[in-house]
Amino acid sequence: MGVVNKLLGQELLRLRLERGLSLRKLARQLGMTAHSGMVDYERGIRIPPPDLMSTYVQVLRPDGNYLKQLYDAAMADRAQQRVLTSLQAETPLGAADLEWVARQYMEQIAALNGVVRALEELTSKLCAIIT
């Protein structure tokens, strides 16, 4: 469990409490049948999948971009951890080599995240035009 995951969880908890929602009520608004997974999100143990995170944003209506920034950072951190774990398991590289490869992957992930954000914005604009 990374620091960023914990910050994301704390922000989800803060927003839920600020809105006066119980876990069960928020679960219903998110379209979930149970609230048990949400506890893991608020503790920073797990990161919500992208579709659920979008619904969180719609329901909790956070001010500004802080929640999205935390989510992006948590996803990037998880990706970096997975890359490092994978590389360590497959290749007996030195620590400096692993850091360089991880940076390369993170740059690629950041670029892809930028493309995803642009596509999400375009989709939103297209939906607004259609409806």
Side-chain angles (χ1 to χ4, degrees), residues 66-128:
Y66 183 61
L67 184 62
K68 174 120 176 62
Q69 290 171 343
L70 283 175
Y71 182 73
D72 290 345
M75 293 297 281
D77 186 55
R78 181 171 72 181
Q80 182 178 19
Q81 291 304 316
R82 287 182 177 175
V83 167
L84 286 174
T85 300
S86 173
L87 287 173
Q88 288 171 340
E90 294 176 9
T91 311
L93 298 174
D97 295 330
L98 285 175
E99 289 174 16
W100 179 85
V101 171
R103 276 195 306 276
Q104 299 303 309
Y105 275 100
M106 292 311 300
E107 288 174 10
Q108 292 174 359
I109 289 169
L112 289 173
N113 281 336
V115 170
V116 168
R117 281 191 292 279
L119 288 172
E120 287 172 344
E121 289 175 18
L122 179 60
T123 301
S124 177
K125 289 177 183 177
L126 288 172
C127 287

Side-chain angles (χ1 to χ4, degrees), residues 41-69:
Y41 301 144
E42 290 184 357
R43 289 184 179 163
I45 296 169
R46 293 176 43 212
I47 302 171
D51 58 331
L52 181 58
M53 194 63 204
S54 293
T55 308
Y56 259 113
V57 170
Q58 291 172 2
V59 171
L60 295 175
R61 299 175 321 278
D63 294 330
N65 228 7
Y66 183 61
L67 184 62
K68 174 120 176 62
Q69 290 171 343

Side-chain angles (χ1 to χ4, degrees), residues 16 21-36 38-39 42:
R16 177 177 63 80
L21 297 169
S22 68
L23 279 169
R24 284 186 174 87
K25 187 170 183 177
L26 179 58
R28 282 192 301 273
Q29 290 184 12
L30 294 174
M32 299 173 68
T33 55
H35 67 280
S36 57
M38 294 170 55
V39 173
E42 290 184 357

